Amino acid sequence: GAKGLTIALRFRHYPGKRQAGRGRSPSRIPPEDKGEFRMKVLKFGGTSVGNPDAIHRVVDIALENPGAVIVVSALGGITDAIIETAREAVAAEDGDPSGWTGRLEDVARRHRDTLAAVSSGPRFLEASKEIERLLSDLRELLRGVALLRELSPRSLDLLVSFGERLSARIVTAALL
């Protein structure tokens, strides 16, 4: 399910043009100039977006909460699959892709199948192009990891981010 969180952001309104060093200090702003903005954030973990039925439930919840910000994790199991694929790529002899491309294709197939199950028509076509672009970028980054035989924490973070990015495209296509 969703983990709901309401965030109250406080902001200050400064009427007129501010000049450097001449604005009012925050402690001296009159109460009527202080405002509050509330934002509802719904976070869905991997299990919540793990299959087409779960994604349809996410869409229903999102539609029941207009204006809420929807945050999704990677599809269930995808983060682990990307990490394992990256580890296989870094261990590949002479950058040989035969050890890791099969696992990457499984990741790609899962996203393609999930998108096809939750979207259709022009939304599907647009999201499909975006997903293929992301999968191509992921493949190229993994190829770089294999060739360099190096997987830094920064590289791993970038690779893992593709799970959330792919999932967000699918949920967006289902929601529109």
Side-chain angles (χ1 to χ4, degrees):
K3 295 178 185 175
L5 171 67
T6 300
I7 300 172
L9 301 174
R10 298 200 185 279
F11 65 92
R12 292 186 172 89
H13 171 68
Y14 297 96
K17 190 172 184 177
R18 290 187 61 197
Q19 297 176 1
R22 302 194 53 95
R24 294 183 284 178
S25 72
S27 61
R28 295 180 42 204
I29 296 174
E32 65 273 6
D33 283 354
K34 295 180 182 178
E36 186 170 287
F37 175 75
R38 293 195 179 270
M39 176 187 306
K40 189 171 190 176
V41 178
L42 299 176
K43 164 69 166 77
F44 296 91
T47 304
S48 297
V49 291
N51 61 57
D53 289 337
I55 291 172
H56 288 301
R57 287 191 294 276
V58 167
V59 168
D60 291 342
I61 292 168
L63 293 174
E64 292 169 3
N65 292 278
V69 174
I70 308 300
V71 179
V72 296
S73 294
L75 303 181
I78 292 297
T79 299
D80 290 340
I82 291 173
I83 292 170
E84 187 57 35
T85 304
R87 289 183 178 147
E88 288 179 7
V90 80
E93 290 295 324
D94 297 322
D96 178 20
S98 62
W100 57 267
T101 54
R103 186 182 299 271
L104 179 60
E105 188 51 41
D106 291 342
V107 167
R109 187 177 312 107
R110 175 125 179 254
H111 287 89
R112 291 176 186 129
D113 291 350
T114 302
L115 176 64
V118 300
S119 183
S120 62
R123 291 176 292 157
F124 169 80
L125 294 174
E126 183 179 332
S128 182
K129 287 178 188 174
E130 291 178 35
I131 284 175
E132 292 305 322
R133 181 186 53 80
L134 286 169
L135 289 169
S136 176
D137 291 349
L138 178 58
R139 186 175 295 105
E140 289 303 308
L141 287 168
L142 286 165
R143 184 173 290 127
V145 164
L147 290 171
L148 293 173
R149 299 189 73 180
E150 179 179 289
L151 182 60
S152 69
R154 184 175 179 185
S155 296
L156 186 59
D157 288 345
L158 177 60
L159 290 166
V160 168
S161 76
F162 279 82
E164 284 82 9
R165 293 158 64 189
L166 289 160
S167 176
R169 299 308 191 279
I170 292 170
V171 173
T172 300
L175 188 57
L176 297 177

